[in-house]
Structures are given as structure tokens and as C-alpha cells.
């Protein structure tokens, strides 16, 4: 009980306290939720003249720390306690997920970074940028290990479960629109391109099966094998994400959110919720859907999806990470 | 850019090699430095106590005298800022800038264009503040990194080495001299494709035994003769130290220079007669197990035993004070000065207690300077029940971590208060005047240490221990009365991140105790 409130008061006002410690007494303390023990033990510390006149919220909000960025957020990727942040600014920020503090900056791209993916072992990160390159980074040293050049901006990057292949999606001009490139991570050579119709939105590997790839372009979802052959029929969808075990997908069809198995395609559940970006939690028990400036969380362990709660507070569309 | 103070070769109390010893090694190094050849990186490796840092120190002095040394970084795990990977390149750049004017100009251009460098990744640090300015200024120089294994680094192949391997080809005029224990990640770092062909390697523990032995004998002979010369208060036989004794000492040292230097400090102790001290060492049981470990264990036992006698009789009270002070000196996570230790432990006569340990601990005359063990093998010995057989001296880590934890909590309870630095209301830290003076005056090293590290000691406290209730009581009291003041000190010292991690530590400890 002690530690949770202590952490929350620290994180919620991190930057303010860092700049001016007395903020703790003037602002952070009086605005603690009414259920917090901090009120009970530290009333004497309230600044003179400060009195709580209106009822405070009962508990802490769901947001632990807000990290201000000076550019527009475009991409996020997670690995354990590390978050990589890509934005319209060309540098990639690495944050500590426990404190939210910045631990490193990766310099190298010459334009905004719009896609990011950690390698499954967490030692490296792949990024895709408006500058027409994808880069493989060594996280510890922050150096670029390899650069993969494309015709157009790299809007999607993904890594196969066996760490051998990078799939990148790029929209060049003319005939180059909608190409998926498959790269050998060791040699840096492109050994396959998959041409498809429409502007590519993203192309992702299954987290378990290194042979399976799913692409989204122009409202169409298609499964591929690594040889570049179509697997199964195409179907409508604007956003797709794998479950952690690789057996299911969560899919935004435009008018509902579906959870379905991939081989064969069987719809397991539908959430009648206008769609957006959606993803599974790392334990596979919950899903998050971003729409209308908020994130909704659903429990999918029962037969029917069960609504858990909203995370409000985003002023523009968020990007969901597990 | 914040360079690390005291990381260069000229600071601190490190001593170089005794003149005449390690001559072949130094000769090889000087030849390497002089020659124009492909090997631009020199890796000096050796096991604990074989004299790596001492050679590095001597080589740095030689390199400086020749005007070839550009920068040196002596890593040390005892100091947060000297084991921090991120600090290495800024410190080197700072020293290079101090030394070479063209480099300074080039570096300033880089920093003006983009000031913040401390948070940069290692690669971009190397690229921007070392390689770039070096290329621009065309400086020929030698850069030295000592004890690379003591840097906090989790990479499978040392991060510094992988950065080096990437840029070594771009700066052909620069030589790198690196020392360290042959740990796997450092070994694999030197095996990197671009590093291997340009690296010359010398394994100190493979240097011919006869050459090492003759160096150690020379060391004993010169240092002991020095002692005989300076101690007019004692009588020495004409041939003291005789060659038979020196042979025995040399055999006991079994190739370990740390053994030799500890023995000499022990014999030189001013309150005792050197001849008697020498006899004490000679009469120690001879045991040459692996790496001569046991030999040094007997030596440590002897030195400690005498230190206790020096303070008084064998009363348990004296032993207990010894353990408290030694336990704290060896177990704190960042070395503390005598002033800070007495503050934290509430022990008043620390200098007296430590007086006769000067052959094992570096106890500076200035009470504001941190105390350290000379060599890592000493704390290893004292906290290992298998090696330290004397129960009265053995420092049980669990017991002493508890002791330090309770001291931290007590100190925080006494000192923490609202607006500890007397700042104006609504003061913004970046605009506050004399903040560092205020911090020194109102917070101080001991309290800052307690605030930052108490939970680290908590994690080392076992859940079933006689003081468990006392610990829990103290923690409850901390949260009820001092939490906000604690956060305030963390903010003042720029350590808010530590606060979040500290709360996770507490959670982890409670979850193991099972009484959340």
C-alpha cells in the first residue's frame, strides 16, 4: 500500500517536482486522490491557504506519467522495460518504461520516424522513416548496424520470430506503390519483394511462425508465406495485430472489431465499436482498441468480450502498445 | 558535457611500478607506442592482482612525459561515475580538448551546434565528440582506458569495444591502450572482425614466471631497504632483508603483485618494528593453491588480527566496532568519506579504528575523501565465510546490510524535513542561487547516500532475520512521516528516477516477505 501511492505521486508530477520540489506540497499533495493515505498522514504539510473545496477523484487515474514530446508521435515499440518512440522529429527516443525518463537518443535518420519494432531478444531495434530507409540499431551502443534503402518512405517494419528476416513496407512513386521487402538481417540484402495493389499500410510477421506474414493495404488484408505466395483469401480490414501466441488476429474491418483465428479463418468474437488501432495485451487476455480519442480495454477470456474500462485523456489519436 | 573528475591517470593515489620492475612489459609497450604499424590497439590483460593498473599508471606517466598521452580513463567499480559507460567518451574528449588546441576548436564547433551529449548513445558520442574532432584536428595521440571490466556494461561484447571497432579505421593516427581482466565479454569484444587484426595482446599472467619473480624480488628488496633506511628508531641487521627471507616472500606471493605490495605496507606500519612484522609474514603457513589465493588469505588474516590488537584488547566491543566500520566501508554502494561514514553509522573514532588497516584500505588524510579498499580481493575475502575463518572478523553481508539500512532510515528520520535547503517558496531549481553550496550544507554526503541507496540495502536484508520487525517498523515510520521530504531531497539531487526504482525495490522485498 505504501509504495503504490508513493510511486504515483512521484510519476504523476515528475517533471514539475524535478524542476521545483515545493510543487510537491503546493500542488501534488492537495490533488492526491481522496482514498490515498497521503492525505491522512500529510495534512499538516498542505500549504497555508490551500484547502480542498471540491471532492477529489476517488482513486489514481490510469495514466501514470505523461511524457511531453515536442513533435507528433508516429511510432512506438516496447521491449520489457524499454520503450522506443518515433515521431515527426528525426531522432528516436528511448525511454525507461518504469520511470518514463529518457535514457538515450538514436541519431541517424534524416526525416521523421514512422515505424519501429524491437527484435524479440531486445538487443536491437528496427526503424522505418520518411527518409526512405529502414535502419537496424544496436540498443546498447546506439549505433546503426545496417541501413536498408527503399524507394519511398518506410511505413512498416517487422521482424520474423526467428530473428532472421526484416519485412518492411514502402510506398514509392508510380509502380513502386505498395511493395513489401524481405531483408536478410545478417547480410543486409533484400532477397524478396512482394508487389501488391494499393498503398501499403503495414506488413507484420507472426510472433511465433517465421513463415507467416500479413499485410494491410488499401483496406485489404492478405496473408502471405515467406516465399511471397498468397495464403488464403483476402478480406476487408484497415488495421490488424497478432495475438502473442500467433494463433489469432484482432482486426478492424471499418465497422466492427473482430478477433479471429488465422488458419482457418474463424471469427471468435466481435466488438461493436467503431474501429481504430487495436492490439492484444502481452498475456493475450485483454485487447485494447483506440478510437474517438480514447482507448477501451476489453477482457477476452470469457465467451463474450467483457468491457473493462476506458483510458481517457488523449487529445489526439493514440498508438497502442501492449 | 560533464567529464568525470579524478578518472585521469594523474589523480588519486595510484602508484606506478617501482623503477626497474616490469621492465620487459614496459619495454614492449614503449616499442608499441613508438612503432608505426598496424597494431593500433593494445590489450593488456591479466588476472586479479597481476599488476594491470600499476603498469597502466606507469605507462601513462611515461606517455605523458613523452607528450604522447592524450587522455586516460581509469575505470573503478567503486565509483558510480567511474563505472558509467556514458562517462568515458565525454571525459576523454574533455582531456583531449584540454591538451590539444585544434581538437578543442573542433569539439567546440560540435558542441555549439548541439550541446547535450551526456544522454547520447555511445556511438553518437564517439562519432561526434571524439572521431569528428580528431579527424578535423589530425591529432596523433594515445588514449588509455584502464580496468574496462569494472565498467557497468551488460553487452555480450563490451559496448566500448564494439564502438571502438566501428570507428577505429577512421582515426588511424590514434592508438588505444586498454587493460582489463580477461572476462568473456571483453574477450569477445576484441574478437570483433574489425578489431582483431589491429590489436596486439599481452597476457600478464602468461609472462614468464622467472621474470615476474625477479621483479617481485627486486620490489621487496628495494622497498624493504627503504624501510630500513627511514626507520632510525629500530635496529636492523646488516643484511636485512636477507635474501633467504626475500625468497620466501617471493614464493608466498606466487606471482601476485598485490600480495607483495600488501606485505610491504604491512611491514612499514609505523607502530611496529619492521623486523617483527617481517617475521610474522614469514611464519604464515605456506599454501600455494590456485592463483595463490590462500596465501593472500593468510596475509589478510594476519593484518586484520594485528589491526584489532592495535586498538585494544580482544574485547568483543572492539571487534564489533571493527565489523561495523569495515562492513560499511566494504558494502556501501558508493564509497563514503570518513565524515560521511561517521555521520551515517554514528561511530566517532573511525580514523583510530582504521589506522592499522592502511595496508588494505586507502584511508585518505582528508576526511572528506572516500575510503576504498586497495584491491578487490580484500572485500571478497572478508565477506566469504569459507575464506575468512576468523568469526570475530568475518563480515556477514546480510547482518551488515541490515545495520546500514537501519542507519540510513535513522539518519533520514533525523535529518529530513520540509524545504531542507531553505529555498524560497516556489523556487525553480535551475534558477536557484548557490544550490550546490546549499546541498552540501543542508543535505551532505551521508544523507544523500541514505536517500539514494537505502532500498538497495533493504534488498540484501533476508526476510527471516532477528531485526525483521525493527526493519518493517522503521519502513512504516518512513512512509508515514518522511516520504515527501525524501522525494524533495531526490529532486534536489537530481535523482527522482531512483525514487521510482526504490519503490519497486520495497515492493519486491515485501512480496518476498509475504506481508504486503
Amino acid at each position: 500500500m505504501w509504495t503504490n501511492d508513493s510511486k504515483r505521486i512521484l510519476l504523476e508530477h515528475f517533471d514539475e517536482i524535478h524542476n521545483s520540489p515545493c510543487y510537491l506540497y503546493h500542488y501534488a499533495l492537495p490533488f492526491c486522490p481522496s482514498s490515498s493515505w497521503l492525505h491522512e498522514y500529510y495534512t499538516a504539510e498542505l500549504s497555508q491557504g490551500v484547502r480542498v473545496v471540491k471532492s477529489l477523484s476517488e482513486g489514481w487515474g490510469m495514466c501514470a506519467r505523461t511524457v511531453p514530446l515536442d513533435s507528433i508521435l508516429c511510432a512506438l515499440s516496447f521491449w520489457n522495460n524499454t520503450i522506443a518512440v518515433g515521431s515527426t522529429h528525426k531522432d528516436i527516443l528511448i525511454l525507461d518504461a518504469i520511470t518514463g525518463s529518457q535514457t538515450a537518443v538514436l541519431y541517424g535518420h534524416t526525416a521523421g520516424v514512422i515505424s519501429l519494432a524491437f527484435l524479440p531478444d531486445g538487443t536491437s531495434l528496427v526503424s522505418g522513416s520518411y527518409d526512405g530507409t529502414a535502419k537496424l540499431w544496436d540498443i546498447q551502443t546506439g549505433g546503426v548496424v545496417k541501413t536498408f534503402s527503399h524507394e519511398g518512405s518506410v511505413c512498416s517494419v517487422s521482424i520474423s520470430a526467428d530473428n532472421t528476416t526484416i519485412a518492411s513496407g514502402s510506398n514509392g512513386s508510380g509502380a513502386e506503390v505498395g511493395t513489401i521487402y524481405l531483408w536478410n538481417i545478417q547480410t543486409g540484402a533484400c532477397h524478396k519483394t512482394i508487389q501488391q495493389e494499393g498503398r501499403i499500410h503495414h506488413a507484420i510477421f507472426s510472433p511465433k511462425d517465421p513463415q507467416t506474414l500479413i499485410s494491410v493495404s488499401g483496406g485489404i488484408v492478405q496473408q502471405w508465406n515467406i516465399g511471397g505466395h498468397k495464403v488464403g483469401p483476402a478480406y476487408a480490414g484497415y488495421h490488424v495485430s497478432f495475438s502473442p501466441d500467433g494463433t489469432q488476429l484482432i482486426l478492424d474491418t471499418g465497422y466492427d472489431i473482430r478477433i479471429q483465428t488465422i488458419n482457418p479463418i474463424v471469427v471468435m468474437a466481435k466488438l461493436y465499436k467503431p474501429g481504430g488501432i487495436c492490439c492484444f495485451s502481452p498475456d493475450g487476455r485483454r485487447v485494447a482498441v483506440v478510437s474517438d480519442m480514447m482507448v477501451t480495454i476489453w477482457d477476452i477470456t470469457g465467451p463474450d468480450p467483457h468491457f473493462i474500462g476506458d483510458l481517457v485523456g488523449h487529445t489526439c489519436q493514440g498508438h497502442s502498445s501492449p | 558535457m560533464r567529464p568525470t573528475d579524478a578518472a585521469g591517470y594523474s589523480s588519486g593515489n595510484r602508484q606506478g611500478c617501482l623503477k626497474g620492475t616490469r621492465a620487459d612489459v614496459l619495454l614492449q609497450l614503449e616499442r608499441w607506442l613508438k612503432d608505426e604499424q598496424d597494431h593500433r590497439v593494445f590489450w593488456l590483460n591479466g588476472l586479479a592482482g597481476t599488476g594491470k593498473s600499476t603498469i597502466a599508471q606507469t605507462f601513462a606517466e611515461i606517455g605523458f612525459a613523452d607528450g604522447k598521452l592524450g587522455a586516460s580513463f581509469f575505470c573503478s567499480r567503486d565509483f558510480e561515475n567511474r563505472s558509467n559507460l556514458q562517462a568515458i567518451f565525454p571525459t576523454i574528449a574533455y582531456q583531449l580538448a584540454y591538451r590539444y588546441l585544434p581538437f578543442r576548436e573542433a569539439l567546440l564547433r560540435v558542441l555549439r551546434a548541439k550541446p547535450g551529449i551526456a544522454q547520447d548513445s555511445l556511438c553518437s558520442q564517439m562519432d561526434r565528440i571524439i572521431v569528428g574532432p580528431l579527424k578535423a584536428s589530425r591529432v596523433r595521440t594515445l588514449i588509455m582506458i584502464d580496468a574496462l571490466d569494472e565498467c557497468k556494461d551488460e553487452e555480450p561484447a563490451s559496448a566500448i569495444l564494439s564502438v571502438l571497432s566501428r570507428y577505429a579505421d577512421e582515426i588511424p593516427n590514434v592508438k588505444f591502450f586498454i587493460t582489463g581482466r580477461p572476462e568473456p565479454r571483453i574477450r569477445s569484444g576484441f574478437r570483433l572482425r574489425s578489431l582483431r587484426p589491429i590489436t596486439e595482446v599481452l597476457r600478464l599472467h602468461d609472462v614468464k614466471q622467472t621474470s615476474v619473480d625477479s621483479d617481485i624480488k627486486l620490489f621487496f628488496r628495494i622497498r624493504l631497504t627503504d624501510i630500513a633506511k627511514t626507520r632510525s628508531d629500530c635496529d636492523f641487521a646488516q643484511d636485512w632483508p636477507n635474501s633467504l627471507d626475500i625468497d620466501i616472500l617471493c614464493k608466498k606471493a606466487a606471482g601476485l603483485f598485490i600480495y607483495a605490495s600488501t606485505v610491504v605496507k604491512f611491514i612499514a606500519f609505523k607502530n611496529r618494528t619492521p623486523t617483527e612484522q617481517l617475521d610474522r609474514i614469514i611464519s604464515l603457513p605456506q599454501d600455494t593453491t590456485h592463483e595463490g589465493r590462500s596465501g593472500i588469505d593468510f596475509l589478510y588474516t594476519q593484518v586484520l588480527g594485528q589491526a584489532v590488537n592495535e586498538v585494544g584488547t580482544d574485547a568483543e566491543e572492539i571487534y564489533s566496532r571493527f565489523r561495523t566500520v569495515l562492513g560499511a566501508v566494504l558494502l556501501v554502494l558508493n564509497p563514503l568519506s570518513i565524515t560521511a561514514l561517521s555521520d551515517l553509522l554514528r561511530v566517532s573514532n573511525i580514523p583510530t579504528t582504521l589506522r592499522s588497516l592502511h595496508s588494505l584500505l586507502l584511508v585518505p588524510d582528508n576526511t572528506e575523501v572516500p575510503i576504498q579498499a586497495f584491491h578487490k580481493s580484500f572485500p571478497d575475502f572478508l565477506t566469504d565465510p569459507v575464506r575468512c575463518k576468523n568469526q570475530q572478523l568475518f563480515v556477514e553481508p546480510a547482518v551488515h546490510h541490515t545495520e546500514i539500512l537501519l542507519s540510513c532510515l535513522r539518519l533520514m528520520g533525523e535529518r529530513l524535513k520540509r524545504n531542507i535547503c531553505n529555498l524560497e517558496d516556489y523556487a525553480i531549481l535551475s534558477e536557484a542561487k548557490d544550490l550546490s553550496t546549499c546541498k552540501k550544507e543542508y543535505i551532505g554526503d551521508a544523507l544523500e547516500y541514505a536517500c539514494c541507496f537505502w532500498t538497495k540495502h533493504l534488498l540484501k536484508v533476508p526476510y527471516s532475520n532477528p531485526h525483521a520487525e525493527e526493519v518493517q517498523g522503521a519502513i512504516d515510520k518512513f512512509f508515514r512521516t518522511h516520504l515527501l521530504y525524501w522525494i524533495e531531497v531526490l529532486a534536489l539531487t537530481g535523482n527522482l528516477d531512483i525514487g521510482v526504482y526504490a519503490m519497486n525495490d520495497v515492493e519486491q522485498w515485501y512480496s518476498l516477505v509475504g506481508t504486503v
Side-chain angles (χ1 to χ4, degrees):
Chain A
M1 122 183 164
W2 297 122
T3 53
N4 186 46
D5 286 16
S6 314
K7 231 179 339 192
R8 295 307 296 263
I9 194 170
L10 242 169
L11 283 172
E12 190 152 309
H13 309 281
F14 197 93
D15 296 306
E16 292 85 350
I17 297 173
H18 179 79
N19 293 335
S20 173
C22 64
Y23 188 93
L24 202 52
Y25 311 105
H26 294 319
Y27 194 92
L29 180 63
F31 283 95
C32 273
S34 56
S35 64
S36 169
W37 54 267
L38 286 160
H39 281 295
E40 191 179 330
Y41 292 112
Y42 290 94
T43 343
E45 294 304 333
L46 284 174
S47 307
Q48 277 193 339
V50 171
R51 211 177 312 134
V52 179
V53 282
K54 220 178 153 197
S55 61
L56 295 163
S57 66
E58 166 86 20
W60 295 96
M62 295 218 191
C63 174
R65 178 168 177 197
T66 308
V67 180
L69 296 175
D70 39 20
S71 48
I72 299 163
L73 180 71
C74 297
L76 280 176
S77 183
F78 248 75
W79 190 79
N80 269 9
N81 287 328
T82 310
I83 307 174
V85 180
S87 70
T88 48
H89 187 68
K90 56 195 188 304
D91 303 333
I92 300 169
L93 306 182
I94 304 292
L95 307 181
D96 176 334
I98 291 177
T99 63
S101 299
Q102 185 176 318
T103 54
V105 185
L106 308 181
Y107 301 104
H109 280 299
T110 53
V113 176
I114 46 179
S115 51
L116 286 169
F118 271 103
L119 259 67
D121 63 3
T123 59
S124 313
L125 176 76
V126 185
S127 61
S129 160
Y130 282 128
D131 66 11
T133 63
K135 286 181 190 293
L136 178 66
W137 305 81
D138 177 334
I139 287 296
Q140 177 85 26
T141 64
V144 177
V145 182
K146 285 202 169 66
T147 298
F148 310 92
S149 297
H150 297 68
E151 294 282 323
S153 53
V154 183
C155 54
S156 160
V157 284
S158 176
I159 295 133
S160 65
D162 58 0
N163 273 329
T164 60
T165 312
I166 295 177
S168 61
S170 166
N171 292 308
S173 52
E176 289 296 326
V177 164
T179 310
I180 301 171
Y181 296 81
L182 297 178
W183 308 84
N184 181 320
I185 211 164
Q186 287 296 326
T187 64
C190 173
H191 56 71
K192 185 89 203 160
T193 57
I194 302 172
Q195 195 62 43
Q196 42 148 49
E197 294 127 36
R199 291 183 73 80
I200 183 118
H201 185 60
H202 60 200
I204 50 173
F205 271 110
S206 156
K208 282 285 180 293
D209 176 10
Q211 301 291 323
T212 300
L213 188 65
I214 283 189
S215 70
V216 181
S217 63
I220 303 292
V221 180
Q222 175 66 56
Q223 185 181 335
W224 307 81
N225 68 20
I226 198 142
H229 300 293
K230 292 184 180 178
V231 178
Y235 43 92
Y238 293 94
H239 186 94
V240 66
S241 177
F242 273 102
S243 67
D245 63 4
T247 60
Q248 297 183 343
L249 288 178
I250 181 162
L251 171 73
D252 166 27
T253 62
Y255 51 92
D256 62 7
I257 301 283
R258 290 180 184 184
I259 295 164
Q260 59 189 37
T261 57
I262 57 166
N263 282 324
I265 298 167
V266 178
V267 177
M268 308 293 287
K270 288 182 183 173
L271 308 174
Y272 292 99
K273 181 83 194 163
I277 294 167
C278 42
C279 71
F280 284 88
S281 67
D283 60 4
R285 297 160 65 86
R286 295 174 178 192
V287 296
V289 180
V290 184
S291 63
D292 301 342
M293 294 184 188
M294 63 159 79
V295 183
T296 53
I297 308 285
W298 305 75
D299 187 329
I300 54 163
T301 46
D304 287 317
H306 164 67
F307 176 75
I308 299 180
D310 290 330
L311 308 176
V312 223
H314 282 279
T315 46
C316 67
Q317 195 178 47
H319 283 254
S320 49
S321 280
Chain B
M1 208 165 82
R2 278 161 72 182
T4 299
D5 298 338
Y9 83 95
S10 57
S11 37
N13 289 283
R14 282 180 300 273
Q15 278 195 334
C17 303
L18 182 67
K19 205 164 167 44
T21 59
R22 312 320 299 257
D24 0 346
V25 176
L26 290 168
L27 196 67
Q28 186 180 349
L29 289 177
E30 281 180 72
R31 205 180 299 134
W32 166 77
L33 184 59
K34 215 162 24 186
D35 285 0
E36 291 294 329
Q37 39 141 329
D38 296 339
H39 291 146
R40 281 179 284 118
V41 179
F42 196 105
W43 182 31
L44 180 72
N45 75 54
L47 300 173
T50 47
K52 295 178 295 293
S53 293
T54 311
I55 292 176
Q57 177 68 23
T58 314
F59 187 46
E61 285 162 11
I62 296 172
F64 182 75
D66 287 355
K68 284 182 181 144
L69 180 71
S72 56
F73 193 98
F74 282 70
C75 305
S76 166
R77 89 183 84 188
D78 290 346
F79 292 90
E80 200 79 43
N81 58 355
R82 280 173 56 193
S83 57
N84 181 357
L85 279 175
Q86 298 287 333
I88 293 186
F89 292 135
T91 307
I92 289 176
Y94 177 83
Q95 294 182 15
L96 288 173
Y98 188 76
R99 181 108 177 60
Y100 305 105
L101 188 62
F103 182 93
R104 186 181 335 166
E105 283 162 359
L107 179 66
L108 283 175
R109 278 197 297 277
V110 172
L111 291 179
R112 280 202 196 100
K114 197 156 186 227
I117 192 79
Q119 289 196 330
D120 270 20
S121 65
L122 288 176
C123 260
S124 70
Q125 277 188 352
M126 175 80 172
D127 189 27
R128 291 176 53 210
I129 62 174
I130 308 257
V131 174
L134 275 176
K135 278 204 294 206
S137 58
R138 303 231 176 96
V139 165
R140 303 182 76 82
T141 188
L142 166 70
I143 293 174
M144 186 178 273
I145 302 175
D146 179 57
L148 190 58
D149 55 286
E150 299 207 13
C151 238
K152 288 198 195 85
D153 178 2
E154 270 98 50
E155 281 287 277
S158 160
I160 291 291
L161 293 178
S162 40
V163 172
L164 196 58
S165 75
R166 187 165 305 153
Y167 290 101
D169 284 341
E170 296 187 33
I171 37 175
N173 289 334
V174 180
K175 290 191 170 182
F176 286 89
F177 177 74
I178 295 166
T179 77
R181 295 188 192 177
E183 286 180 357
R185 74 198 155 76
I186 294 183
R187 285 217 306 268
S188 56
F190 278 108
R191 275 200 296 267
L192 291 171
R193 212 179 326 148
S194 46
L195 218 46
R196 198 173 190 170
I198 58 166
T199 303
E200 182 168 339
V201 183
L202 176 64
R203 290 176 197 84
L204 271 186
H205 44 277
D206 287 353
V207 169
K208 272 205 313 281
Q209 189 66 37
T210 49
S211 137
V212 171
D213 280 353
S214 69
D215 279 353
I216 289 183
K217 276 184 200 162
L218 182 61
F219 177 83
F220 275 129
R221 181 167 304 282
I222 293 181
R223 281 284 141 89
L224 294 182
T225 314
D226 283 351
I227 293 174
K229 272 186 216 148
T230 51
R231 293 289 292 271
S232 49
D233 56 323
C234 313
D235 291 333
F236 293 96
Q238 190 65 40
D239 64 339
W240 193 88
N242 69 48
S243 31
L244 193 65
D245 288 348
I246 287 185
D247 284 349
I248 297 174
L249 287 177
C250 175
K251 205 165 169 201
K252 281 176 189 294
L256 286 186
F257 280 85
I258 183 63
Y259 189 98
S261 76
T262 311
V263 164
V264 166
K265 289 190 198 108
F266 179 76
I267 294 177
F269 184 48
K270 49 183 174 301
N271 295 15
R272 299 280 173 132
T273 323
T275 43
E276 285 171 14
Q277 294 287 82
L278 175 62
D279 291 343
R280 283 196 187 92
I281 303 288
I282 299 279
S283 61
L284 287 178
Q286 174 73 39
D287 194 336
T288 45
T289 30
H290 184 59
E291 288 181 24
R293 265 279 161 67
S294 296
I296 199 135
D297 289 0
F298 290 123
L299 179 64
Y300 284 150
T301 311
Q302 171 73 33
V303 175
L304 282 167
Q306 191 176 79
V308 175
N309 287 335
E310 206 50 46
V311 180
T313 46
D314 283 12
E316 173 53 29
E317 188 202 323
I318 290 168
Y319 276 113
S320 136
R321 193 168 73 218
F322 244 87
R323 288 193 303 263
T324 300
V325 175
L326 267 179
V329 169
L330 303 182
L331 295 175
V332 289
L333 295 128
N334 222 5
L336 293 173
S337 66
I338 289 181
T339 314
L341 276 172
S342 6
D343 229 14
L344 183 66
L345 302 173
R346 265 203 199 147
V347 177
S348 52
N349 44 1
I350 291 182
T352 327
T353 314
L354 296 179
R355 194 178 52 199
S356 47
L357 288 174
H358 73 138
S359 51
L360 304 176
L361 299 177
L362 182 64
V363 187
D365 292 333
N366 181 348
T367 53
E368 304 291 329
V369 178
I371 308 177
Q372 271 178 284
F374 273 114
H375 202 259
K376 167 84 185 41
S377 58
F378 177 53
D380 287 353
F381 160 77
L382 204 60
T383 54
D384 182 345
V386 180
R387 294 178 59 191
C388 180
K389 293 275 175 14
N390 184 340
Q391 282 308 312
Q392 287 171 301
L393 288 169
F394 168 57
V395 169
E396 163 74 78
V399 170
H400 289 276
H401 279 297
T402 313
E403 215 172 279
I404 301 170
L405 168 69
L406 289 170
S407 297
C408 288
L409 286 163
R410 196 209 71 243
L411 187 71
M412 291 194 293
E414 284 170 6
R415 300 267 178 87
L416 287 176
K417 57 175 185 150
R418 179 165 174 167
N419 195 7
I420 190 164
C421 283
N422 277 328
L423 296 175
E424 279 172 41
D425 220 3
Y426 297 101
I428 309 279
L429 287 190
S430 52
E431 293 165 7
K433 271 185 239 140
D434 305 326
L435 191 61
S436 57
T437 330
C438 281
K439 279 195 278 197
K440 214 172 148 83
E441 187 177 343
Y442 297 112
I443 301 178
D445 290 342
L447 185 58
E448 182 174 347
Y449 179 86
C451 288
C452 291
F453 292 103
W454 70 275
T455 61
K456 296 293 169 217
H457 290 292
L458 176 67
L459 284 180
K460 302 268 171 61
V461 171
Y463 331 112
S464 54
N465 96 58
H467 298 284
E469 239 170 71
E470 192 184 348
V471 168
Q472 293 198 24
I475 294 176
D476 281 355
K477 181 155 176 277
F478 167 82
F479 280 108
R480 272 202 304 270
T481 52
H482 290 97
L483 178 80
L484 296 185
Y485 315 139
W486 173 68
I487 297 179
E488 199 189 312
V489 168
L490 291 179
L492 285 164
T493 54
N495 288 316
L496 274 185
D497 281 349
I498 289 182
V500 182
Y501 278 104
M503 292 301 99
N504 286 354
D505 292 341
V506 176
E507 263 166 31
Q508 190 190 340
W509 189 75
Y510 270 108
S511 73
L512 291 164
V513 180
T515 53
V516 183

